[in-house]
Amino acid sequence: MSVKLEGNILVTGTNRGIGLELVKQLAEKTAKEVHIYACCREPGGARAEALKELTSQYPGKIIVIKLDVADEDSISAAVQAVRQHIGTGGLNLLINNAAINKPAPPAPLMATAKKDMMEVYETNVVGPFILTKMILPLLQRAAERYSTDKENGDEMSCRRSAIINMSTLISSIEKCPETFSGAQMYPYRTSKAALNMLTRCQSEDFKINNILVTAIHPGWVRTEMGGEQAPLSTQDSVGAVLNVISSLSNKDSGMLLDLQGNRIPW
Ligand SMILES: NC(=O)c1ccc[n+]([C@@H]2O[C@H](COP(=O)([O-])OP(=O)(O)OC[C@H]3O[C@@H](n4cnc5c(N)ncnc54)[C@H](OP(=O)(O)O)[C@@H]3O)[C@@H](O)[C@H]2O)c1
């Protein structure tokens, strides 16, 4: 089944887990003209073998870019590399997927140090903030071009220009009484709640540019982060994520959505 996404797409944290599956399904399900910028901390490392193998199946369609989202210089170099590849084009879709969860779950208060709080915030919030700030001109360019080509006025979509932030159900403050005992994870929860606020602020900020900004909960997924008990495979989670994001419109910007496209309360 194809997904209605176009142009240039960038995904962070793509050497494993949900990020790797996003690149795989985007490569399979989009037109051959689509370019996927698959970002990864260590493209030459042993942990990037699966991404390397996938890239070899789609030469020219998947472009691997070195990117550590916790390092501002690395973000700057990655944006420069993407800009060179794209030339005069724009970036249609940025998926902020890379994240960490420290210390290992359940991560109760007494097992959590300042270092954990700072590292998780830096990767999960500051990383997407800086990357989005640096890559904004490319997103703006895609949004402008789309309107010239298709006369779509102020319509927003992931085909035109969008930022998708990978959030989580356990970022929801309203749902905390239901979810807290199962997974305390102070650094992770608070970082994702901050990512939600970043989503909301940027959706307001970039409305004028017709750039959609939405946070999505990919479900509880069997990855290194999600663990073996998780009910969803990466394949099923990503299939549903792509379905939801391909049909987003203005009403979804600034929201946190589940895999059915329904709003999760803040
Ligand atoms: N799995 C779940 O159940 C679940 C549920 C809700 C939300 N999510 C969200 O979904 C997203 C993907 O989760 P996942 O389960 O696939 O996690 P994962 O298996 O732990 O994979 C995380 C990915 O992020 C990368 N990464 C971490 N720190 C990075 C950095 N500083 N720079 C660049 N890349 C970095 C990792 O690369 P390295 O190999 O280099 O570390 C890896 O590719 C995350 O945002 C997560 O919060 C997951």
Coordinates of all heavy atoms in Angstrom, one line a residue, residues 140-210:
Q140 N 10.5 25.8 5.2 CA 9.7 27.0 4.6 C 9.7 27.0 3.1 O 8.7 27.3 2.5 CB 10.4 28.3 5.1 CG 10.1 28.6 6.6 CD 10.9 29.7 7.2 OE1 12.1 29.9 6.8 NE2 10.4 30.4 8.2
R141 N 10.9 26.6 2.6 CA 11.0 26.6 1.1 C 10.0 25.5 0.5 O 9.3 25.8 -0.5 CB 12.4 26.2 0.7 CG 12.8 26.7 -0.7 CD 14.1 26.1 -1.2 NE 15.2 26.8 -0.6 CZ 16.4 26.2 -0.7 NH1 16.7 25.0 -1.2 NH2 17.5 26.9 -0.2
A142 N 9.9 24.4 1.2 CA 9.0 23.3 0.7 C 7.6 23.8 0.8 O 6.8 23.6 -0.2 CB 9.2 22.0 1.5
A143 N 7.2 24.5 1.8 CA 5.9 25.0 2.0 C 5.5 26.0 0.9 O 4.4 26.0 0.4 CB 5.7 25.6 3.4
E144 N 6.5 26.9 0.6 CA 6.2 27.9 -0.4 C 6.1 27.3 -1.8 O 5.2 27.7 -2.5 CB 7.4 28.9 -0.4 CG 7.3 30.0 0.7 CD 8.7 30.6 1.0 OE1 9.5 30.6 0.1 OE2 8.9 31.1 2.1
R145 N 7.0 26.4 -2.1 CA 6.9 25.8 -3.4 C 5.6 25.1 -3.6 O 5.1 25.1 -4.7 CB 8.1 24.7 -3.5 CG 9.4 25.3 -3.6 CD 10.3 24.4 -4.1 NE 11.4 25.1 -4.7 CZ 12.3 24.7 -5.5 NH1 12.2 23.5 -6.0 NH2 13.2 25.4 -6.0
Y146 N 5.2 24.4 -2.6 CA 3.9 23.6 -2.7 C 2.8 24.5 -3.1 O 2.0 24.2 -3.9 CB 3.7 22.9 -1.4 CG 2.8 21.7 -1.5 CD1 3.2 20.4 -1.9 CD2 1.4 21.8 -1.3 CE1 2.4 19.3 -2.0 CE2 0.6 20.7 -1.4 CZ 1.1 19.5 -1.7 OH 0.2 18.4 -1.8
S147 N 2.8 25.7 -2.5 CA 1.7 26.6 -2.8 C 1.8 27.1 -4.2 O 0.8 27.3 -4.9 CB 1.6 27.7 -1.7 OG 2.5 28.7 -2.0
T148 N 3.0 27.4 -4.7 CA 3.1 27.8 -6.0 C 2.7 26.8 -7.0 O 2.0 27.0 -8.0 CB 4.6 28.2 -6.3 OG1 5.1 28.8 -5.2 CG2 4.7 29.1 -7.5
D149 N 3.1 25.5 -6.7 CA 2.9 24.4 -7.7 C 1.4 24.0 -7.7 O 0.8 23.7 -8.7 CB 3.6 23.2 -7.3 CG 5.1 23.3 -7.5 OD1 5.5 24.4 -8.1 OD2 5.9 22.5 -7.1
K150 N 0.8 24.0 -6.5 CA -0.5 23.4 -6.4 C -1.6 24.3 -5.9 O -2.8 23.9 -5.7 CB -0.5 22.2 -5.4 CG 0.7 21.3 -5.8 CD 0.6 19.9 -5.3 CE 1.9 19.1 -5.8 NZ 2.0 17.8 -5.4
E151 N -1.3 25.6 -5.7 CA -2.2 26.6 -5.3 C -3.1 26.1 -4.1 O -4.3 26.2 -4.2 CB -3.2 27.0 -6.5 CG -2.4 27.7 -7.6 CD -3.2 28.0 -8.8 OE1 -4.4 27.6 -8.8 OE2 -2.7 28.6 -9.7
N152 N -2.4 25.7 -3.1 CA -3.1 25.2 -2.0 C -3.3 26.1 -0.8 O -3.6 25.7 0.3 CB -2.4 23.9 -1.5 CG -3.0 22.7 -2.3 OD1 -4.0 22.8 -2.9 ND2 -2.3 21.6 -2.2
G153 N -3.1 27.4 -1.0 CA -3.3 28.4 0.0 C -2.7 28.1 1.3 O -1.5 27.8 1.4
D154 N -3.6 28.0 2.4 CA -3.0 27.8 3.7 C -3.2 26.3 4.2 O -3.2 26.0 5.4 CB -3.7 28.8 4.7 CG -5.2 28.6 4.8 OD1 -5.7 27.7 4.1 OD2 -5.8 29.3 5.6
E155 N -3.4 25.4 3.2 CA -3.6 24.0 3.6 C -2.3 23.4 4.1 O -1.3 23.6 3.5 CB -4.0 23.2 2.4 CG -5.5 23.0 2.4 CD -5.9 22.2 1.1 OE1 -5.2 21.1 0.8 OE2 -6.8 22.6 0.4
M156 N -2.4 22.7 5.2 CA -1.1 22.1 5.8 C -1.2 20.6 5.6 O -2.3 20.0 5.7 CB -1.0 22.4 7.3 CG -0.7 23.8 7.6 SD -0.2 24.0 9.3 CE -1.3 25.2 9.8
S157 N -0.1 19.9 5.4 CA 0.0 18.5 5.3 C 1.4 18.0 5.4 O 2.3 18.8 5.2 CB -0.6 18.0 3.9 OG 0.3 18.3 2.9
C158 N 1.6 16.7 5.5 CA 2.9 16.1 5.5 C 3.5 16.0 4.1 O 4.7 15.8 3.9 CB 3.0 14.8 6.2 SG 2.7 14.9 8.0
R159 N 2.7 16.2 3.1 CA 3.2 16.3 1.7 C 3.8 17.7 1.5 O 4.8 17.8 0.8 CB 2.1 16.1 0.7 CG 1.6 14.7 0.6 CD 0.5 14.5 -0.4 NE -0.7 15.3 -0.1 CZ -1.5 15.0 1.0 NH1 -1.2 14.0 1.7 NH2 -2.6 15.8 1.2
R160 N 3.2 18.7 2.1 CA 3.6 20.1 1.9 C 4.9 20.4 2.7 O 6.0 20.5 2.2 CB 2.5 21.0 2.2 CG 2.9 22.5 1.9 CD 1.7 23.4 2.2 NE 1.9 24.7 1.6 CZ 1.0 25.6 1.5 NH1 -0.2 25.4 2.0 NH2 1.3 26.8 1.0
S161 N 4.7 20.5 4.0 CA 5.8 20.8 4.9 C 5.4 20.5 6.3 O 4.4 21.1 6.8 CB 6.2 22.2 4.7 OG 7.4 22.5 5.5
A162 N 6.1 19.6 7.0 CA 5.6 19.2 8.3 C 6.7 18.7 9.2 O 7.8 18.3 8.8 CB 4.6 18.1 8.2
I163 N 6.5 18.8 10.5 CA 7.4 18.3 11.6 C 6.5 17.3 12.4 O 5.5 17.7 12.9 CB 7.9 19.4 12.5 CG1 8.7 20.4 11.7 CG2 8.8 18.8 13.6 CD1 8.9 21.8 12.4
I164 N 7.0 16.1 12.5 CA 6.4 15.1 13.3 C 7.3 14.8 14.5 O 8.5 14.4 14.3 CB 6.1 13.8 12.5 CG1 5.1 14.1 11.4 CG2 5.5 12.7 13.5 CD1 3.7 14.5 11.8
N165 N 6.8 15.0 15.7 CA 7.7 14.7 16.9 C 7.1 13.4 17.5 O 6.0 13.2 17.8 CB 7.6 15.8 17.9 CG 8.3 17.1 17.4 OD1 9.3 17.0 16.7 ND2 7.7 18.2 17.7
M166 N 8.1 12.4 17.6 CA 7.7 11.1 18.3 C 7.5 11.3 19.8 O 8.5 11.5 20.5 CB 8.7 10.1 18.0 CG 8.6 9.5 16.6 SD 7.0 8.7 16.4 CE 7.3 7.9 14.9
S167 N 6.3 11.3 20.3 CA 6.1 11.5 21.7 C 5.6 10.2 22.3 O 5.9 9.1 21.7 CB 5.1 12.6 21.9 OG 5.0 12.9 23.2
T168 N 4.8 10.2 23.3 CA 4.4 9.0 24.0 C 3.1 9.3 24.8 O 3.0 10.4 25.3 CB 5.5 8.4 24.8 OG1 4.9 7.4 25.6 CG2 6.1 9.5 25.8
L169 N 2.3 8.3 25.0 CA 1.2 8.4 25.9 C 1.6 8.8 27.3 O 0.8 9.6 27.9 CB 0.5 7.0 25.9 CG -0.8 6.9 26.8 CD1 -1.9 7.6 26.2 CD2 -1.1 5.4 26.9
I170 N 2.8 8.3 27.7 CA 3.1 8.6 29.1 C 3.7 10.1 29.3 O 4.1 10.4 30.4 CB 4.1 7.6 29.7 CG1 5.4 7.5 29.1 CG2 3.4 6.2 29.7 CD1 6.4 6.7 29.8
S171 N 3.6 10.8 28.2 CA 3.9 12.3 28.4 C 2.7 13.0 28.8 O 2.8 14.2 29.2 CB 4.3 12.9 27.0 OG 3.2 12.8 26.1
S172 N 1.5 12.4 28.7 CA 0.2 13.0 29.0 C 0.1 13.3 30.5 O 0.1 12.3 31.3 CB -0.9 12.2 28.5 OG -2.1 12.7 29.1
I173 N 0.0 14.5 30.9 CA -0.2 14.9 32.3 C -1.5 14.4 32.9 O -1.6 13.9 33.9 CB 0.0 16.4 32.5 CG1 1.5 16.8 32.2 CG2 -0.4 16.9 33.9 CD1 1.7 18.3 32.0
E174 N -2.5 14.6 32.0 CA -3.9 14.1 32.4 C -3.9 12.6 32.7 O -4.6 12.1 33.5 CB -4.9 14.5 31.3 CG -6.3 14.4 31.8 CD -7.3 14.9 30.8 OE1 -7.1 16.0 30.3 OE2 -8.4 14.3 30.6
K175 N -3.2 11.9 31.9 CA -3.2 10.4 32.0 C -2.2 9.9 33.0 O -2.1 8.7 33.2 CB -2.9 9.8 30.6 CG -4.0 10.1 29.6 CD -4.4 8.8 28.8 CE -5.6 9.0 28.0 NZ -6.8 8.4 28.4
C176 N -1.5 10.7 33.7 CA -0.4 10.3 34.6 C -0.9 9.4 35.7 O -0.3 8.4 36.0 CB 0.3 11.5 35.1 SG 1.8 11.1 36.1
P177 N -2.1 9.7 36.3 CA -2.6 8.9 37.4 C -2.8 7.4 36.9 O -2.6 6.5 37.7 CB -3.9 9.5 37.8 CG -3.8 10.9 37.4 CD -3.0 10.9 36.2
E178 N -3.1 7.2 35.6 CA -3.3 5.9 35.1 C -2.0 5.2 34.7 O -1.9 4.0 34.8 CB -4.1 5.9 33.8 CG -5.6 6.4 33.9 CD -6.1 6.8 32.5 OE1 -5.9 6.1 31.5 OE2 -6.7 7.9 32.5
T179 N -1.0 6.0 34.3 CA 0.2 5.4 33.7 C 1.4 5.4 34.7 O 2.3 4.6 34.4 CB 0.6 6.1 32.4 OG1 0.9 7.5 32.8 CG2 -0.5 6.1 31.4
F180 N 1.3 6.1 35.7 CA 2.6 6.4 36.5 C 3.1 5.1 37.2 O 4.3 4.8 37.0 CB 2.3 7.4 37.6 CG 3.6 7.7 38.4 CD1 4.6 8.4 37.8 CD2 3.8 7.2 39.7 CE1 5.8 8.7 38.5 CE2 4.9 7.5 40.4 CZ 5.9 8.2 39.8
S181 N 2.3 4.3 37.8 CA 2.8 3.1 38.5 C 3.5 2.1 37.6 O 4.5 1.5 38.0 CB 1.7 2.4 39.3 OG 0.7 2.0 38.4
G182 N 3.1 2.0 36.4 CA 3.7 1.0 35.4 C 5.0 1.5 34.9 O 5.9 0.6 34.6
A183 N 5.3 2.8 34.9 CA 6.5 3.3 34.3 C 6.8 4.7 34.8 O 6.3 5.6 34.3 CB 6.4 3.3 32.8
Q184 N 7.6 4.7 35.9 CA 7.8 6.0 36.6 C 8.6 6.9 35.7 O 8.2 8.0 35.3 CB 8.4 5.8 37.9 CG 7.5 5.0 38.8 CD 7.9 5.0 40.3 OE1 8.9 5.6 40.7 NE2 7.2 4.3 41.1
M185 N 9.8 6.5 35.3 CA 10.6 7.2 34.2 C 10.5 8.7 34.2 O 10.1 9.3 33.3 CB 10.2 6.7 32.8 CG 10.2 5.2 32.6 SD 9.7 4.8 30.9 CE 9.2 3.2 31.0
Y186 N 11.0 9.3 35.3 CA 10.9 10.7 35.5 C 11.6 11.5 34.3 O 10.9 12.4 33.7 CB 11.5 11.2 36.8 CG 10.7 11.0 38.0 CD1 10.6 9.8 38.7 CD2 9.8 12.1 38.4 CE1 9.8 9.6 39.8 CE2 9.0 11.9 39.6 CZ 9.0 10.7 40.2 OH 8.2 10.5 41.3
P187 N 12.8 11.2 34.0 CA 13.4 12.0 32.9 C 12.7 11.9 31.6 O 12.5 12.9 30.9 CB 14.8 11.4 32.8 CG 15.1 10.7 34.1 CD 13.8 10.2 34.5
Y188 N 12.3 10.6 31.2 CA 11.6 10.4 29.9 C 10.3 11.1 29.9 O 10.0 11.8 28.9 CB 11.5 8.9 29.7 CG 10.9 8.5 28.4 CD1 11.7 8.6 27.2 CD2 9.6 7.9 28.3 CE1 11.2 8.2 26.0 CE2 9.1 7.6 27.1 CZ 9.9 7.7 25.9 OH 9.4 7.3 24.7
R189 N 9.5 10.9 30.9 CA 8.1 11.5 30.9 C 8.2 13.0 30.8 O 7.5 13.7 30.1 CB 7.4 11.2 32.2 CG 6.8 9.9 32.3 CD 6.3 9.8 33.8 NE 5.7 8.5 34.0 CZ 4.4 8.2 33.7 NH1 3.6 9.1 33.3 NH2 3.9 7.0 33.8
T190 N 9.1 13.6 31.6 CA 9.1 15.1 31.7 C 9.7 15.6 30.4 O 9.2 16.7 29.9 CB 9.9 15.6 32.9 OG1 11.2 15.0 32.9 CG2 9.2 15.3 34.2
S191 N 10.6 14.9 29.8 CA 11.2 15.3 28.5 C 10.1 15.3 27.4 O 10.1 16.2 26.6 CB 12.4 14.5 28.1 OG 12.0 13.2 27.6
K192 N 9.3 14.3 27.4 CA 8.3 14.1 26.3 C 7.2 15.1 26.5 O 6.6 15.6 25.6 CB 7.8 12.7 26.2 CG 8.9 11.7 25.7 CD 9.2 11.9 24.2 CE 10.2 10.8 23.7 NZ 10.5 10.9 22.3
A193 N 6.9 15.5 27.8 CA 5.9 16.5 28.1 C 6.4 17.9 27.5 O 5.7 18.7 26.9 CB 5.6 16.6 29.5
A194 N 7.8 18.1 27.7 CA 8.4 19.3 27.1 C 8.4 19.3 25.6 O 8.1 20.3 25.0 CB 9.8 19.4 27.6
L195 N 8.6 18.1 25.0 CA 8.5 18.0 23.6 C 7.1 18.3 23.1 O 6.9 18.9 22.0 CB 8.9 16.5 23.1 CG 8.9 16.2 21.6 CD1 10.1 17.0 20.9 CD2 9.0 14.7 21.4
N196 N 6.1 17.9 23.9 CA 4.7 18.3 23.5 C 4.5 19.8 23.5 O 3.9 20.3 22.6 CB 3.7 17.7 24.5 CG 3.6 16.2 24.4 OD1 4.1 15.6 23.5 ND2 3.0 15.6 25.4
M197 N 5.1 20.5 24.5 CA 5.0 21.9 24.5 C 5.7 22.5 23.3 O 5.3 23.5 22.7 CB 5.5 22.5 25.8 CG 5.4 24.0 25.9 SD 3.8 24.7 25.6 CE 3.3 25.1 27.3
L198 N 6.9 21.9 23.0 CA 7.6 22.4 21.8 C 6.8 22.3 20.5 O 6.7 23.2 19.7 CB 8.9 21.6 21.7 CG 9.9 22.0 20.5 CD1 10.5 23.3 20.8 CD2 11.0 20.9 20.4
T199 N 6.1 21.2 20.5 CA 5.2 20.9 19.3 C 4.1 22.0 19.2 O 3.9 22.6 18.2 CB 4.5 19.5 19.5 OG1 5.5 18.5 19.6 CG2 3.6 19.2 18.3
R200 N 3.5 22.3 20.4 CA 2.5 23.3 20.4 C 3.0 24.7 20.1 O 2.4 25.4 19.3 CB 1.8 23.2 21.8 CG 0.6 24.0 21.9 CD -0.6 23.4 21.2 NE -1.8 24.2 21.2 CZ -3.0 23.8 21.3 NH1 -3.2 22.5 21.4 NH2 -4.0 24.6 21.3
C201 N 4.1 25.0 20.7 CA 4.7 26.4 20.4 C 5.1 26.5 18.9 O 4.8 27.5 18.3 CB 6.0 26.6 21.2 SG 5.7 26.7 23.0
Q202 N 5.7 25.5 18.4 CA 6.1 25.6 17.0 C 4.9 25.5 16.0 O 5.0 26.2 14.9 CB 7.2 24.5 16.6 CG 8.5 24.7 17.4 CD 9.6 23.8 17.0 OE1 9.3 22.6 16.7 NE2 10.8 24.2 17.2
S203 N 3.9 24.9 16.4 CA 2.7 24.9 15.5 C 2.1 26.3 15.4 O 1.7 26.7 14.4 CB 1.6 23.9 16.0 OG 0.9 24.4 17.1
E204 N 2.2 27.0 16.6 CA 1.7 28.4 16.5 C 2.7 29.3 15.7 O 2.3 30.1 14.9 CB 1.7 29.0 18.0 CG 0.5 28.4 18.8 CD -0.8 28.7 18.2 OE1 -1.1 29.8 17.7 OE2 -1.7 27.8 18.2
D205 N 4.0 29.1 16.0 CA 5.1 29.9 15.4 C 5.1 29.7 13.8 O 5.2 30.7 13.1 CB 6.4 29.4 16.0 CG 7.5 30.4 16.0 OD1 7.2 31.6 15.5 OD2 8.6 30.2 16.4
F206 N 4.9 28.5 13.4 CA 5.1 28.2 12.0 C 3.7 28.1 11.2 O 3.7 27.8 10.0 CB 5.8 26.8 11.8 CG 7.1 26.7 12.5 CD1 7.6 25.4 12.8 CD2 7.8 27.8 12.9 CE1 8.8 25.3 13.5 CE2 9.0 27.7 13.6 CZ 9.5 26.5 13.9
K207 N 2.7 28.5 11.9 CA 1.4 28.5 11.2 C 1.4 29.5 10.0 O 0.9 29.2 8.9 CB 0.3 29.1 12.2 CG -1.1 28.6 11.9 CD -2.0 29.2 13.0 CE -2.2 28.3 14.2 NZ -3.1 28.9 15.2
I208 N 2.1 30.6 10.2 CA 2.2 31.6 9.1 C 2.9 31.1 7.9 O 2.7 31.5 6.8 CB 2.9 32.9 9.7 CG1 2.9 34.0 8.7 CG2 4.3 32.6 10.1 CD1 2.6 35.3 9.3
N209 N 3.8 30.0 8.1 CA 4.5 29.4 7.0 C 3.7 28.2 6.4 O 4.2 27.6 5.5 CB 5.9 28.9 7.4 CG 6.7 30.1 8.0 OD1 7.1 30.0 9.2 ND2 7.1 31.0 7.2
N210 N 2.6 27.9 7.0 CA 1.8 26.7 6.6 C 2.6 25.4 6.8 O 2.5 24.5 6.1 CB 1.4 26.8 5.1 CG 0.5 28.0 4.9 OD1 -0.5 28.2 5.6 ND2 0.9 28.8 4.0

